[in-house]
Amino acid sequence: MQGSNDILTKGIKQLKILPLAAMFLIPMSGFAQKNDSKTNNDRIGVNYKQRHSKQSQNNLYADGIKIKRDLSIIKETQEERILAEDEIPAEELYGGIWNNRYVNAYRSIESIPDTFKVNLANFTMPTMGHVTSNYGVRRLRRTTRMHYGIDLKVQVGDTIYAAFDGKVRLKQYERRGYGYYVALRHPNGLETVYGHLSKFLVEEDQVVKSGDPIALGGNTGRSTGSHLHFEIRFLGNPINPTFIVDFDNKVCHRDSYLVTASSYNRSSKGVDIRNISSSATASRSKANVQNKYASGKVAYHRIQKGDTLGAIALKHNTTVSKLCKLNNITAKTVLRAGKSIRIS
């Protein structure tokens, strides 16, 4: 009985202690909750700041992308505007001449620059075909004739591309020569000619970009098989394309080329546009064409029967070596009566 009373007394004491413990523990739990809440709030603040910082970086990154996009659009617009519709490429170099009939319509130009630097940066191969015939003299059965370009193998219908940015100066047909052909004038000062075509893909006076399709390959004109006849000219004078283009690797040798008197043999097949009165064949021209890039006045001597380089040099107060350099000849070159030789 005594044992039961002791258990009961001990239980009552425990019951008395419970309210006191509850009163003590409730504030402690509240304090703990308050601390957790404070910790969570602090974390929320830190997280918010991190998100804000990250958002700013994203905004800067987005602004950078927008700037690059805008610059890209500006660049594309500048690239698209190669030439205005009524603009003549290299107009000052060519004295304002823009002729839609003749490949070499520049005999009226009184002077040619001694040197001229040509930018080749945006070159495109007209076709990827291999070389089938080189620039130079061709020996036929009974005669010889000059081959002013280089032939590249194509199949009829293969696409032909513009070598540089430029403008279509002429598209014509020549039965005993080029066949269907296109000539482009480029802002870098060169002209390129594409012959033996089967179809035109451009119109005269059309602006084209390097690599644009301009025609289809063919076998027209004086041709014994389908190929592209490709010429590079400067003021009407043909330049050996291999001086400029590495046809094995399909690129230019350098980013620029310096045209000098030794770059070409002066073509004698030019047309004097001062003798052309029809506006249909010479859309733009000037009666007396000067070249601002040439230094000094250029003069010529018409060769008479019996003339020698020594006699011509003595007559015009110059030297044989200067005559040879100006005309890209040697002291042993045979002079032909009726031809002209540059003396200054």
Side-chain angles (χ1 to χ4, degrees), residues 28-61:
M28 289 293 291
S29 63
F31 180 77
Q33 181 66 31
K34 184 176 181 181
N35 287 343
D36 289 342
S37 176
K38 183 177 181 181
T39 303
N40 288 339
N41 286 339
D42 287 344
R43 287 177 180 173
I44 291 172
V46 170
N47 289 339
Y48 175 77
K49 288 178 182 179
Q50 289 176 343
R51 276 197 296 268
H52 180 74
S53 175
K54 188 175 181 180
Q55 187 176 5
S56 297
Q57 291 175 0
N58 286 340
N59 287 341
L60 291 174
Y61 182 70

PDB file of all heavy atoms in Angstrom, residues 28-61:
ATOM      1  N   MET A  28      11.224  29.434 -25.855  1.00  0.00           N
ATOM      2  CA  MET A  28      12.434  28.977 -26.504  1.00  0.00           C
ATOM      3  C   MET A  28      12.149  28.562 -27.930  1.00  0.00           C
ATOM      4  O   MET A  28      12.895  28.872 -28.864  1.00  0.00           O
ATOM      5  CB  MET A  28      13.032  27.783 -25.724  1.00  0.00           C
ATOM      6  CG  MET A  28      13.626  28.174 -24.380  1.00  0.00           C
ATOM      7  SD  MET A  28      15.070  29.212 -24.582  1.00  0.00           S
ATOM      8  CE  MET A  28      16.193  28.015 -25.272  1.00  0.00           C
ATOM      9  N   SER A  29      11.020  27.839 -28.152  1.00  0.00           N
ATOM     10  CA  SER A  29      10.674  27.412 -29.504  1.00  0.00           C
ATOM     11  C   SER A  29      10.354  28.606 -30.373  1.00  0.00           C
ATOM     12  O   SER A  29      10.685  28.670 -31.546  1.00  0.00           O
ATOM     13  CB  SER A  29       9.492  26.431 -29.461  1.00  0.00           C
ATOM     14  OG  SER A  29       8.345  27.099 -28.933  1.00  0.00           O
ATOM     15  N   GLY A  30       9.685  29.596 -29.744  1.00  0.00           N
ATOM     16  CA  GLY A  30       9.388  30.816 -30.499  1.00  0.00           C
ATOM     17  C   GLY A  30      10.669  31.531 -30.883  1.00  0.00           C
ATOM     18  O   GLY A  30      10.801  32.071 -31.973  1.00  0.00           O
ATOM     19  N   PHE A  31      11.635  31.580 -29.959  1.00  0.00           N
ATOM     20  CA  PHE A  31      12.925  32.226 -30.265  1.00  0.00           C
ATOM     21  C   PHE A  31      13.645  31.506 -31.401  1.00  0.00           C
ATOM     22  O   PHE A  31      14.203  32.124 -32.304  1.00  0.00           O
ATOM     23  CB  PHE A  31      13.786  32.195 -28.987  1.00  0.00           C
ATOM     24  CG  PHE A  31      15.128  32.826 -29.184  1.00  0.00           C
ATOM     25  CD1 PHE A  31      15.270  34.207 -29.205  1.00  0.00           C
ATOM     26  CD2 PHE A  31      16.250  32.021 -29.350  1.00  0.00           C
ATOM     27  CE1 PHE A  31      16.509  34.790 -29.384  1.00  0.00           C
ATOM     28  CE2 PHE A  31      17.485  32.598 -29.519  1.00  0.00           C
ATOM     29  CZ  PHE A  31      17.628  33.989 -29.543  1.00  0.00           C
ATOM     30  N   ALA A  32      13.558  30.159 -31.332  1.00  0.00           N
ATOM     31  CA  ALA A  32      14.185  29.368 -32.392  1.00  0.00           C
ATOM     32  C   ALA A  32      13.512  29.627 -33.721  1.00  0.00           C
ATOM     33  O   ALA A  32      14.154  29.789 -34.750  1.00  0.00           O
ATOM     34  CB  ALA A  32      14.120  27.886 -32.035  1.00  0.00           C
ATOM     35  N   GLN A  33      12.172  29.704 -33.752  1.00  0.00           N
ATOM     36  CA  GLN A  33      11.429  29.975 -34.974  1.00  0.00           C
ATOM     37  C   GLN A  33      11.788  31.335 -35.524  1.00  0.00           C
ATOM     38  O   GLN A  33      11.947  31.531 -36.720  1.00  0.00           O
ATOM     39  CB  GLN A  33       9.922  29.883 -34.690  1.00  0.00           C
ATOM     40  CG  GLN A  33       9.044  30.130 -35.922  1.00  0.00           C
ATOM     41  CD  GLN A  33       9.221  29.038 -36.939  1.00  0.00           C
ATOM     42  OE1 GLN A  33       9.487  27.884 -36.578  1.00  0.00           O
ATOM     43  NE2 GLN A  33       9.102  29.395 -38.210  1.00  0.00           N
ATOM     44  N   LYS A  34      11.937  32.297 -34.580  1.00  0.00           N
ATOM     45  CA  LYS A  34      12.278  33.647 -34.995  1.00  0.00           C
ATOM     46  C   LYS A  34      13.651  33.672 -35.642  1.00  0.00           C
ATOM     47  O   LYS A  34      13.863  34.323 -36.650  1.00  0.00           O
ATOM     48  CB  LYS A  34      12.263  34.570 -33.755  1.00  0.00           C
ATOM     49  CG  LYS A  34      12.503  36.024 -34.101  1.00  0.00           C
ATOM     50  CD  LYS A  34      12.373  36.872 -32.848  1.00  0.00           C
ATOM     51  CE  LYS A  34      12.597  38.333 -33.174  1.00  0.00           C
ATOM     52  NZ  LYS A  34      12.496  39.199 -31.988  1.00  0.00           N
ATOM     53  N   ASN A  35      14.587  32.941 -35.075  1.00  0.00           N
ATOM     54  CA  ASN A  35      15.921  32.883 -35.654  1.00  0.00           C
ATOM     55  C   ASN A  35      15.897  32.252 -37.030  1.00  0.00           C
ATOM     56  O   ASN A  35      16.566  32.709 -37.963  1.00  0.00           O
ATOM     57  CB  ASN A  35      16.857  32.094 -34.736  1.00  0.00           C
ATOM     58  CG  ASN A  35      17.215  32.881 -33.490  1.00  0.00           C
ATOM     59  OD1 ASN A  35      17.038  34.095 -33.467  1.00  0.00           O
ATOM     60  ND2 ASN A  35      17.703  32.183 -32.462  1.00  0.00           N
ATOM     61  N   ASP A  36      15.108  31.154 -37.177  1.00  0.00           N
ATOM     62  CA  ASP A  36      15.012  30.497 -38.492  1.00  0.00           C
ATOM     63  C   ASP A  36      14.423  31.436 -39.514  1.00  0.00           C
ATOM     64  O   ASP A  36      14.865  31.510 -40.654  1.00  0.00           O
ATOM     65  CB  ASP A  36      14.150  29.233 -38.374  1.00  0.00           C
ATOM     66  CG  ASP A  36      14.867  28.137 -37.608  1.00  0.00           C
ATOM     67  OD1 ASP A  36      16.116  28.231 -37.481  1.00  0.00           O
ATOM     68  OD2 ASP A  36      14.171  27.201 -37.162  1.00  0.00           O
ATOM     69  N   SER A  37      13.378  32.164 -39.055  1.00  0.00           N
ATOM     70  CA  SER A  37      12.737  33.106 -39.967  1.00  0.00           C
ATOM     71  C   SER A  37      13.723  34.169 -40.414  1.00  0.00           C
ATOM     72  O   SER A  37      13.773  34.544 -41.572  1.00  0.00           O
ATOM     73  CB  SER A  37      11.527  33.736 -39.270  1.00  0.00           C
ATOM     74  OG  SER A  37      10.952  34.713 -40.102  1.00  0.00           O
ATOM     75  N   LYS A  38      14.526  34.657 -39.454  1.00  0.00           N
ATOM     76  CA  LYS A  38      15.516  35.690 -39.784  1.00  0.00           C
ATOM     77  C   LYS A  38      16.528  35.145 -40.766  1.00  0.00           C
ATOM     78  O   LYS A  38      16.910  35.805 -41.721  1.00  0.00           O
ATOM     79  CB  LYS A  38      16.204  36.142 -38.500  1.00  0.00           C
ATOM     80  CG  LYS A  38      17.200  37.269 -38.731  1.00  0.00           C
ATOM     81  CD  LYS A  38      17.790  37.715 -37.408  1.00  0.00           C
ATOM     82  CE  LYS A  38      18.775  38.853 -37.641  1.00  0.00           C
ATOM     83  NZ  LYS A  38      19.397  39.302 -36.380  1.00  0.00           N
ATOM     84  N   THR A  39      16.921  33.878 -40.517  1.00  0.00           N
ATOM     85  CA  THR A  39      17.894  33.269 -41.420  1.00  0.00           C
ATOM     86  C   THR A  39      17.325  33.137 -42.806  1.00  0.00           C
ATOM     87  O   THR A  39      17.980  33.446 -43.810  1.00  0.00           O
ATOM     88  CB  THR A  39      18.294  31.881 -40.889  1.00  0.00           C
ATOM     89  OG1 THR A  39      18.810  32.025 -39.581  1.00  0.00           O
ATOM     90  CG2 THR A  39      19.316  31.234 -41.805  1.00  0.00           C
ATOM     91  N   ASN A  40      16.054  32.717 -42.909  1.00  0.00           N
ATOM     92  CA  ASN A  40      15.420  32.571 -44.217  1.00  0.00           C
ATOM     93  C   ASN A  40      15.308  33.904 -44.922  1.00  0.00           C
ATOM     94  O   ASN A  40      15.517  34.010 -46.124  1.00  0.00           O
ATOM     95  CB  ASN A  40      14.035  31.935 -44.060  1.00  0.00           C
ATOM     96  CG  ASN A  40      14.137  30.457 -43.698  1.00  0.00           C
ATOM     97  OD1 ASN A  40      15.169  29.834 -43.939  1.00  0.00           O
ATOM     98  ND2 ASN A  40      13.066  29.907 -43.127  1.00  0.00           N
ATOM     99  N   ASN A  41      14.950  34.940 -44.128  1.00  0.00           N
ATOM    100  CA  ASN A  41      14.843  36.269 -44.736  1.00  0.00           C
ATOM    101  C   ASN A  41      16.180  36.733 -45.263  1.00  0.00           C
ATOM    102  O   ASN A  41      16.272  37.333 -46.335  1.00  0.00           O
ATOM    103  CB  ASN A  41      14.310  37.275 -43.699  1.00  0.00           C
ATOM    104  CG  ASN A  41      12.817  37.068 -43.440  1.00  0.00           C
ATOM    105  OD1 ASN A  41      12.130  36.484 -44.279  1.00  0.00           O
ATOM    106  ND2 ASN A  41      12.340  37.534 -42.293  1.00  0.00           N
ATOM    107  N   ASP A  42      17.225  36.481 -44.472  1.00  0.00           N
ATOM    108  CA  ASP A  42      18.555  36.865 -44.933  1.00  0.00           C
ATOM    109  C   ASP A  42      18.908  36.131 -46.215  1.00  0.00           C
ATOM    110  O   ASP A  42      19.464  36.709 -47.147  1.00  0.00           O
ATOM    111  CB  ASP A  42      19.597  36.564 -43.855  1.00  0.00           C
ATOM    112  CG  ASP A  42      19.493  37.541 -42.693  1.00  0.00           C
ATOM    113  OD1 ASP A  42      18.848  38.604 -42.878  1.00  0.00           O
ATOM    114  OD2 ASP A  42      20.049  37.226 -41.634  1.00  0.00           O
ATOM    115  N   ARG A  43      18.591  34.855 -46.284  1.00  0.00           N
ATOM    116  CA  ARG A  43      18.892  34.080 -47.478  1.00  0.00           C
ATOM    117  C   ARG A  43      18.106  34.593 -48.672  1.00  0.00           C
ATOM    118  O   ARG A  43      18.617  34.675 -49.779  1.00  0.00           O
ATOM    119  CB  ARG A  43      18.560  32.604 -47.235  1.00  0.00           C
ATOM    120  CG  ARG A  43      19.551  31.914 -46.308  1.00  0.00           C
ATOM    121  CD  ARG A  43      19.146  30.496 -46.038  1.00  0.00           C
ATOM    122  NE  ARG A  43      20.098  29.853 -45.147  1.00  0.00           N
ATOM    123  CZ  ARG A  43      19.925  28.638 -44.635  1.00  0.00           C
ATOM    124  NH1 ARG A  43      18.817  27.957 -44.915  1.00  0.00           N
ATOM    125  NH2 ARG A  43      20.848  28.121 -43.848  1.00  0.00           N
ATOM    126  N   ILE A  44      16.851  34.949 -48.417  1.00  0.00           N
ATOM    127  CA  ILE A  44      16.032  35.492 -49.493  1.00  0.00           C
ATOM    128  C   ILE A  44      16.652  36.772 -50.025  1.00  0.00           C
ATOM    129  O   ILE A  44      16.757  36.999 -51.223  1.00  0.00           O
ATOM    130  CB  ILE A  44      14.591  35.748 -49.007  1.00  0.00           C
ATOM    131  CG1 ILE A  44      13.899  34.413 -48.749  1.00  0.00           C
ATOM    132  CG2 ILE A  44      13.811  36.558 -50.029  1.00  0.00           C
ATOM    133  CD1 ILE A  44      12.555  34.539 -48.084  1.00  0.00           C
ATOM    134  N   GLY A  45      17.101  37.617 -49.098  1.00  0.00           N
ATOM    135  CA  GLY A  45      17.738  38.864 -49.517  1.00  0.00           C
ATOM    136  C   GLY A  45      18.979  38.607 -50.338  1.00  0.00           C
ATOM    137  O   GLY A  45      19.208  39.222 -51.359  1.00  0.00           O
ATOM    138  N   VAL A  46      19.791  37.669 -49.888  1.00  0.00           N
ATOM    139  CA  VAL A  46      21.022  37.339 -50.620  1.00  0.00           C
ATOM    140  C   VAL A  46      20.687  36.783 -51.985  1.00  0.00           C
ATOM    141  O   VAL A  46      21.272  37.159 -52.997  1.00  0.00           O
ATOM    142  CB  VAL A  46      21.858  36.340 -49.803  1.00  0.00           C
ATOM    143  CG1 VAL A  46      23.010  35.799 -50.644  1.00  0.00           C
ATOM    144  CG2 VAL A  46      22.381  37.007 -48.549  1.00  0.00           C
ATOM    145  N   ASN A  47      19.699  35.877 -52.012  1.00  0.00           N
ATOM    146  CA  ASN A  47      19.305  35.304 -53.295  1.00  0.00           C
ATOM    147  C   ASN A  47      18.780  36.378 -54.239  1.00  0.00           C
ATOM    148  O   ASN A  47      19.055  36.370 -55.437  1.00  0.00           O
ATOM    149  CB  ASN A  47      18.236  34.229 -53.091  1.00  0.00           C
ATOM    150  CG  ASN A  47      18.807  32.982 -52.440  1.00  0.00           C
ATOM    151  OD1 ASN A  47      20.017  32.768 -52.504  1.00  0.00           O
ATOM    152  ND2 ASN A  47      17.948  32.172 -51.831  1.00  0.00           N
ATOM    153  N   TYR A  48      18.026  37.321 -53.701  1.00  0.00           N
ATOM    154  CA  TYR A  48      17.477  38.390 -54.536  1.00  0.00           C
ATOM    155  C   TYR A  48      18.589  39.239 -55.117  1.00  0.00           C
ATOM    156  O   TYR A  48      18.589  39.561 -56.295  1.00  0.00           O
ATOM    157  CB  TYR A  48      16.526  39.251 -53.694  1.00  0.00           C
ATOM    158  CG  TYR A  48      16.021  40.444 -54.441  1.00  0.00           C
ATOM    159  CD1 TYR A  48      15.026  40.317 -55.396  1.00  0.00           C
ATOM    160  CD2 TYR A  48      16.566  41.706 -54.196  1.00  0.00           C
ATOM    161  CE1 TYR A  48      14.569  41.411 -56.095  1.00  0.00           C
ATOM    162  CE2 TYR A  48      16.114  42.809 -54.886  1.00  0.00           C
ATOM    163  CZ  TYR A  48      15.106  42.669 -55.836  1.00  0.00           C
ATOM    164  OH  TYR A  48      14.662  43.755 -56.510  1.00  0.00           O
ATOM    165  N   LYS A  49      19.579  39.535 -54.240  1.00  0.00           N
ATOM    166  CA  LYS A  49      20.699  40.332 -54.727  1.00  0.00           C
ATOM    167  C   LYS A  49      21.464  39.583 -55.808  1.00  0.00           C
ATOM    168  O   LYS A  49      21.870  40.149 -56.800  1.00  0.00           O
ATOM    169  CB  LYS A  49      21.623  40.678 -53.560  1.00  0.00           C
ATOM    170  CG  LYS A  49      21.047  41.705 -52.613  1.00  0.00           C
ATOM    171  CD  LYS A  49      21.990  41.972 -51.462  1.00  0.00           C
ATOM    172  CE  LYS A  49      21.376  42.981 -50.491  1.00  0.00           C
ATOM    173  NZ  LYS A  49      22.284  43.224 -49.352  1.00  0.00           N
ATOM    174  N   GLN A  50      21.623  38.291 -55.632  1.00  0.00           N
ATOM    175  CA  GLN A  50      22.330  37.513 -56.644  1.00  0.00           C
ATOM    176  C   GLN A  50      21.566  37.500 -57.950  1.00  0.00           C
ATOM    177  O   GLN A  50      22.145  37.670 -59.019  1.00  0.00           O
ATOM    178  CB  GLN A  50      22.533  36.082 -56.130  1.00  0.00           C
ATOM    179  CG  GLN A  50      23.566  35.996 -55.011  1.00  0.00           C
ATOM    180  CD  GLN A  50      23.659  34.601 -54.463  1.00  0.00           C
ATOM    181  OE1 GLN A  50      22.775  33.777 -54.675  1.00  0.00           O
ATOM    182  NE2 GLN A  50      24.729  34.332 -53.732  1.00  0.00           N
ATOM    183  N   ARG A  51      20.262  37.343 -57.842  1.00  0.00           N
ATOM    184  CA  ARG A  51      19.459  37.350 -59.064  1.00  0.00           C
ATOM    185  C   ARG A  51      19.533  38.705 -59.730  1.00  0.00           C
ATOM    186  O   ARG A  51      19.628  38.814 -60.954  1.00  0.00           O
ATOM    187  CB  ARG A  51      18.004  36.981 -58.730  1.00  0.00           C
ATOM    188  CG  ARG A  51      17.762  35.502 -58.651  1.00  0.00           C
ATOM    189  CD  ARG A  51      16.283  35.208 -58.747  1.00  0.00           C
ATOM    190  NE  ARG A  51      15.541  35.764 -57.632  1.00  0.00           N
ATOM    191  CZ  ARG A  51      15.276  35.103 -56.520  1.00  0.00           C
ATOM    192  NH1 ARG A  51      15.719  33.863 -56.373  1.00  0.00           N
ATOM    193  NH2 ARG A  51      14.590  35.649 -55.554  1.00  0.00           N
ATOM    194  N   HIS A  52      19.521  39.766 -58.986  1.00  0.00           N
ATOM    195  CA  HIS A  52      19.583  41.121 -59.527  1.00  0.00           C
ATOM    196  C   HIS A  52      20.931  41.336 -60.240  1.00  0.00           C
ATOM    197  O   HIS A  52      20.992  41.867 -61.342  1.00  0.00           O
ATOM    198  CB  HIS A  52      19.418  42.144 -58.402  1.00  0.00           C
ATOM    199  CG  HIS A  52      19.463  43.556 -58.881  1.00  0.00           C
ATOM    200  ND1 HIS A  52      18.426  44.117 -59.563  1.00  0.00           N
ATOM    201  CD2 HIS A  52      20.455  44.484 -58.812  1.00  0.00           C
ATOM    202  CE1 HIS A  52      18.743  45.358 -59.888  1.00  0.00           C
ATOM    203  NE2 HIS A  52      19.970  45.595 -59.435  1.00  0.00           N
ATOM    204  N   SER A  53      22.006  40.866 -59.567  1.00  0.00           N
ATOM    205  CA  SER A  53      23.323  40.995 -60.175  1.00  0.00           C
ATOM    206  C   SER A  53      23.390  40.200 -61.468  1.00  0.00           C
ATOM    207  O   SER A  53      23.891  40.660 -62.481  1.00  0.00           O
ATOM    208  CB  SER A  53      24.393  40.510 -59.195  1.00  0.00           C
ATOM    209  OG  SER A  53      25.652  40.522 -59.794  1.00  0.00           O
ATOM    210  N   LYS A  54      22.870  39.001 -61.479  1.00  0.00           N
ATOM    211  CA  LYS A  54      22.885  38.160 -62.669  1.00  0.00           C
ATOM    212  C   LYS A  54      22.058  38.775 -63.781  1.00  0.00           C
ATOM    213  O   LYS A  54      22.420  38.750 -64.950  1.00  0.00           O
ATOM    214  CB  LYS A  54      22.362  36.770 -62.311  1.00  0.00           C
ATOM    215  CG  LYS A  54      22.520  35.745 -63.425  1.00  0.00           C
ATOM    216  CD  LYS A  54      22.089  34.383 -62.949  1.00  0.00           C
ATOM    217  CE  LYS A  54      22.272  33.344 -64.049  1.00  0.00           C
ATOM    218  NZ  LYS A  54      21.846  32.000 -63.604  1.00  0.00           N
ATOM    219  N   GLN A  55      20.950  39.369 -63.416  1.00  0.00           N
ATOM    220  CA  GLN A  55      20.085  40.002 -64.406  1.00  0.00           C
ATOM    221  C   GLN A  55      20.800  41.165 -65.082  1.00  0.00           C
ATOM    222  O   GLN A  55      20.696  41.366 -66.287  1.00  0.00           O
ATOM    223  CB  GLN A  55      18.803  40.480 -63.727  1.00  0.00           C
ATOM    224  CG  GLN A  55      17.760  41.003 -64.717  1.00  0.00           C
ATOM    225  CD  GLN A  55      16.474  41.360 -64.015  1.00  0.00           C
ATOM    226  OE1 GLN A  55      16.410  41.306 -62.782  1.00  0.00           O
ATOM    227  NE2 GLN A  55      15.458  41.711 -64.762  1.00  0.00           N
ATOM    228  N   SER A  56      21.578  41.922 -64.332  1.00  0.00           N
ATOM    229  CA  SER A  56      22.327  43.035 -64.912  1.00  0.00           C
ATOM    230  C   SER A  56      23.345  42.519 -65.918  1.00  0.00           C
ATOM    231  O   SER A  56      23.512  43.079 -66.997  1.00  0.00           O
ATOM    232  CB  SER A  56      23.039  43.833 -63.814  1.00  0.00           C
ATOM    233  OG  SER A  56      22.092  44.404 -62.933  1.00  0.00           O
ATOM    234  N   GLN A  57      24.021  41.431 -65.553  1.00  0.00           N
ATOM    235  CA  GLN A  57      24.981  40.864 -66.475  1.00  0.00           C
ATOM    236  C   GLN A  57      24.296  40.390 -67.740  1.00  0.00           C
ATOM    237  O   GLN A  57      24.796  40.576 -68.844  1.00  0.00           O
ATOM    238  CB  GLN A  57      25.723  39.713 -65.801  1.00  0.00           C
ATOM    239  CG  GLN A  57      26.662  40.170 -64.680  1.00  0.00           C
ATOM    240  CD  GLN A  57      27.271  38.992 -63.963  1.00  0.00           C
ATOM    241  OE1 GLN A  57      26.996  37.844 -64.297  1.00  0.00           O
ATOM    242  NE2 GLN A  57      28.087  39.285 -62.974  1.00  0.00           N
ATOM    243  N   ASN A  58      23.120  39.777 -67.584  1.00  0.00           N
ATOM    244  CA  ASN A  58      22.372  39.334 -68.757  1.00  0.00           C
ATOM    245  C   ASN A  58      21.986  40.502 -69.636  1.00  0.00           C
ATOM    246  O   ASN A  58      22.022  40.417 -70.866  1.00  0.00           O
ATOM    247  CB  ASN A  58      21.127  38.553 -68.335  1.00  0.00           C
ATOM    248  CG  ASN A  58      21.494  37.165 -67.817  1.00  0.00           C
ATOM    249  OD1 ASN A  58      22.584  36.668 -68.107  1.00  0.00           O
ATOM    250  ND2 ASN A  58      20.590  36.552 -67.067  1.00  0.00           N
ATOM    251  N   ASN A  59      21.590  41.591 -68.984  1.00  0.00           N
ATOM    252  CA  ASN A  59      21.210  42.774 -69.753  1.00  0.00           C
ATOM    253  C   ASN A  59      22.391  43.303 -70.550  1.00  0.00           C
ATOM    254  O   ASN A  59      22.268  43.677 -71.709  1.00  0.00           O
ATOM    255  CB  ASN A  59      20.676  43.871 -68.817  1.00  0.00           C
ATOM    256  CG  ASN A  59      19.291  43.524 -68.294  1.00  0.00           C
ATOM    257  OD1 ASN A  59      18.600  42.693 -68.873  1.00  0.00           O
ATOM    258  ND2 ASN A  59      18.905  44.148 -67.193  1.00  0.00           N
ATOM    259  N   LEU A  60      23.574  43.346 -69.894  1.00  0.00           N
ATOM    260  CA  LEU A  60      24.778  43.794 -70.597  1.00  0.00           C
ATOM    261  C   LEU A  60      25.113  42.856 -71.735  1.00  0.00           C
ATOM    262  O   LEU A  60      25.487  43.279 -72.829  1.00  0.00           O
ATOM    263  CB  LEU A  60      25.960  43.870 -69.622  1.00  0.00           C
ATOM    264  CG  LEU A  60      25.875  44.971 -68.558  1.00  0.00           C
ATOM    265  CD1 LEU A  60      27.029  44.825 -67.579  1.00  0.00           C
ATOM    266  CD2 LEU A  60      25.922  46.351 -69.217  1.00  0.00           C
ATOM    267  N   TYR A  61      24.966  41.566 -71.477  1.00  0.00           N
ATOM    268  CA  TYR A  61      25.232  40.576 -72.515  1.00  0.00           C
ATOM    269  C   TYR A  61      24.262  40.743 -73.682  1.00  0.00           C
ATOM    270  O   TYR A  61      24.653  40.711 -74.848  1.00  0.00           O
ATOM    271  CB  TYR A  61      25.120  39.182 -71.911  1.00  0.00           C
ATOM    272  CG  TYR A  61      25.419  38.064 -72.875  1.00  0.00           C
ATOM    273  CD1 TYR A  61      26.719  37.850 -73.332  1.00  0.00           C
ATOM    274  CD2 TYR A  61      24.406  37.228 -73.336  1.00  0.00           C
ATOM    275  CE1 TYR A  61      27.014  36.820 -74.213  1.00  0.00           C
ATOM    276  CE2 TYR A  61      24.694  36.196 -74.213  1.00  0.00           C
ATOM    277  CZ  TYR A  61      25.994  35.992 -74.648  1.00  0.00           C
ATOM    278  OH  TYR A  61      26.265  34.987 -75.520  1.00  0.00           O
TER     279      TYR A  61
END
